[in-house]
Amino acid sequence: MEYVRTQTNPKDGKLLAIGHSMGGMLLYALLSRCGLKGMDSGLASVTTIASTLDYSSSGTLLKYLLPVKEPAQALNVSALPIDTMLEMAHPLIFRPPYALSWLTTNISAPQMMDPEVIEKLVLNSLCPVPAKLLYQLATSLGNGGLRDRTGSFYYKDHISTTNVPILALAGDWDIVCPPDAVYETVKLIPQHKATFKVFGSPGGPHYGHQDMISGRTARSETYPLILQFLQRHDQS
C-alpha cells in the first residue's frame, strides 16, 4: 500500500482497494484492526469479491480444510503443494475421459469461463500453500470466524468499528464463499457503509468463485458496478 501511495501520490493520501477471496479477507482484517485501534486505514473505499471473515454457518467447500489440518500438523508439513497436485490432476480434468472435470465447478459455474482460461488458471496461478496459512484459514470455519495466529483476536468482532465504505460482492453459485457466508460479515458493518450485491439470477447466468473477475459477463456486469463505486469514493 505504501508503495502504491508513493507512486500515485493521491491528493487525499488514500487508496481504493479491491480484494478477491483471501484478498478481501485481508482487507476486512485490516479494517478490523484499524477500527479497534482508532487508526486511519489509509483507504477511501474497499471492494471485496467472494470474501468473508466467517464461514461457520455456510456450506462452503472450505470445510474440507478441517480434515487436512490435523494430519498436516502431526506430520509437521511446512506447505501443501497445491500447484503440483493440480498439475498432476490436469490431464484428468481437461483431457478425455475428463474423470476430474467436476473440479472446475469449484472455480466457475458451468459455461461462465472459457475452458482455456480455467486451464491457465489451474496451471499458472497457484502455488504451494504454507501450512501456517492453512491453520489460520481453518479458524474462519469455527465459531467466531477468522482469528489471528495467536487465536485470541477475532477479526469479526471489530469490523463494525470501520468507517470505510465497503462494496461486498457475492456469486449465486459460489461454493467456496457462498452468498450467505459473504453476508455473515456484511451484516456486521454499519448499514450506511455497506453495499451488498449477489450476482446471478434463476435463469442464468450464474456466478462461481472466479466468475465475477474472469467470467464471460464480468466485463459487462461486474466491472461497471465496481468502477461506479470506485469513482464515487475517489477524491483524487
Side-chain angles (χ1 to χ4, degrees), residues 3-149:
Y3 175 81
V4 174
R5 187 178 288 109
T6 300
Q7 296 299 312
T8 58
N9 193 30
K11 293 179 181 177
D12 60 356
K14 294 185 179 294
L15 303 180
L16 304 165
I18 304 174
H20 173 255
S21 195
M22 192 179 296
M25 295 175 76
L26 288 169
L27 291 172
Y28 279 142
L30 173 65
L31 295 179
S32 181
R33 284 281 192 190
C34 289
L36 174 65
K37 296 178 180 179
M39 295 170 52
D40 184 356
S41 67
L43 298 174
S45 76
V46 163
T47 300
T48 65
I49 305 170
S51 305
T52 186
L53 291 172
D54 189 352
Y55 290 97
S56 62
S57 63
S58 74
T60 175
L61 182 75
L62 293 179
K63 63 186 178 183
Y64 295 110
L65 279 178
L66 290 178
V68 175
K69 179 184 174 183
E70 290 186 6
Q73 286 178 316
L75 295 171
N76 198 25
V77 175
S78 61
L80 293 182
I82 301 297
D83 53 342
T84 303
M85 293 163 61
L86 283 175
E87 188 174 345
M88 292 172 62
H90 171 263
L92 296 176
I93 298 174
F94 298 100
R95 302 287 182 267
Y98 304 105
L100 296 179
S101 60
W102 57 269
L103 285 172
T104 61
T105 59
N106 302 329
I107 301 171
S108 174
Q111 309 303 317
M112 274 300 284
M113 284 177 64
D114 294 324
E116 59 269 22
V117 175
I118 298 179
E119 190 170 9
K120 287 181 179 179
L121 183 71
V122 168
L123 289 176
N124 302 325
S125 63
L126 298 171
C127 62
V129 178
K132 288 182 179 180
L133 173 59
L134 175 67
Y135 304 153
Q136 188 178 3
L137 186 60
T139 66
S140 66
L141 299 163
N143 291 333
L146 186 70
R147 287 175 274 167
D148 67 359
R149 287 188 180 174

